[in-house]
């Protein structure tokens, strides 16, 4: 079992310390996910682009546990994760709009909600040494997940419409409802 005190964790902690928190498992996961997103987004109108985007945007669900399990969490890692996630979302939305893969009002609502979220988080971090809106941060993760599912559903629905118009339109309607509900709720 891997714990923060296990031999492998101690080696990983030594690498982290020697590289001033730059080289960690989580930063590696985030870097690979970022690169995959950069490759996938211009190709979101293809099944290959969609297939690469799914794990690239799902990495946020798996980057934290290895850091906690190995005792390699860091302030730098948290910043890399947060900034990388925001950049990936902006990059995806740019290409989704450019390729006409989602309803523009849904993209605008998601973008507006993300800007408001980033502003509130930035203000909180600027004003306080420790984040005071921890519950909001957790809700923000859920909101980002719902928004990603909605935008992903729009992309998939658009692609499915090419061969199965009725099914594609249904996927787009459901994902639109999910996205607008998520934005309104969070």
């Amino acid at each position: 079992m891997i714990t923060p005190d296990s031999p492998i964790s101690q080696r990983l902690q030594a690498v982290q310390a020697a590289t001033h928190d730059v080289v960690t498992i989580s930063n590696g996961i985030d870097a690979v996910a970022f690169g995959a997103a950069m490759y996938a987004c211009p190709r979101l109108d293809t099944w290959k682009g969609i297939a690469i985007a799914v794990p690239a945007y799902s990495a946020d669900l798996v980057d934290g546990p290895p850091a906690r399990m190995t005792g390699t969490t860091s302030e730098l890692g948290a910043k890399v994760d947060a900034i990388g996630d925001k950049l990936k979302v902006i990059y995806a939305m740019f290409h989704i709009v450019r390729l006409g893969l989602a309803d523009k009002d849904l993209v605008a609502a998601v973008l507006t909600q993300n800007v408001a979220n980033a502003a509130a988080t930035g203000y909180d971090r600027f004003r306080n040494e420790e984040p005071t809106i921890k519950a909001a941060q957790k809700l923000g993760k859920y909101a980002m997940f719902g928004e990603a599912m909605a935008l992903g559903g729009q992309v998939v629905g658009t692609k499915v419409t090419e061969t199965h118009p009725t099914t594609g339109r249904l996927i787009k309607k459901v994902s639109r409802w999910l996205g607008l509900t998520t934005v309104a709720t969070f």
Side-chain angles (χ1 to χ4, degrees):
M1 171 122 191
I2 297 177
T3 65
D5 297 328
S6 68
I8 186 75
S9 294
Q10 290 176 350
R11 285 189 204 111
L12 293 170
Q13 292 165 14
V15 170
Q16 176 183 4
T19 61
H20 305 285
D21 294 339
V22 172
V23 178
T24 66
I25 291 174
S26 296
N27 287 353
I29 291 169
D30 289 336
V32 170
F34 191 82
M38 296 303 107
Y39 177 83
C41 287
R43 297 162 181 81
L44 284 174
D45 58 341
T46 68
W47 287 115
K48 180 180 180 181
I50 292 168
I52 294 170
V54 169
Y57 284 88
S58 299
D60 195 39
L61 301 172
V62 298
D63 60 355
R68 288 185 290 279
M69 188 175 8
T70 60
T72 56
T73 59
S74 70
E75 185 65 29
L76 177 64
K79 288 178 183 176
V80 165
D81 181 36
I83 292 168
D85 290 347
K86 295 289 187 250
L87 291 174
K88 287 190 315 188
V89 168
I90 291 167
Y91 192 66
M93 285 195 286
F94 170 78
H95 286 288
I96 287 169
V97 169
R98 181 183 69 80
L99 296 167
L101 300 174
D103 299 338
K104 288 183 179 161
D105 62 334
L106 174 61
V107 174
V110 168
L111 183 60
T112 301
Q113 196 273 341
N114 273 275
V115 168
N117 218 1
T121 301
Y123 178 77
D124 182 55
R125 294 235 172 120
F126 175 75
R127 297 289 295 171
N128 305 293
E129 278 188 36
E130 287 292 318
T132 60
I133 54 174
K134 292 205 182 269
Q137 288 175 331
K138 191 168 193 167
L139 290 175
K141 288 248 185 220
Y142 292 134
M144 283 191 70
F145 178 75
E147 292 164 358
M149 292 296 292
L151 291 172
Q154 289 275 299
V155 170
V156 169
T158 300
K159 188 68 180 157
V160 169
T161 302
E162 294 173 4
T163 54
H164 300 89
T166 304
T167 303
R169 284 192 299 274
L170 177 62
I171 292 168
K172 286 192 74 161
K173 282 182 184 180
V174 169
S175 63
R176 177 184 174 78
W177 175 85
L178 172 66
L180 294 176
T181 302
T182 300
V183 168
T185 303
F186 294 104

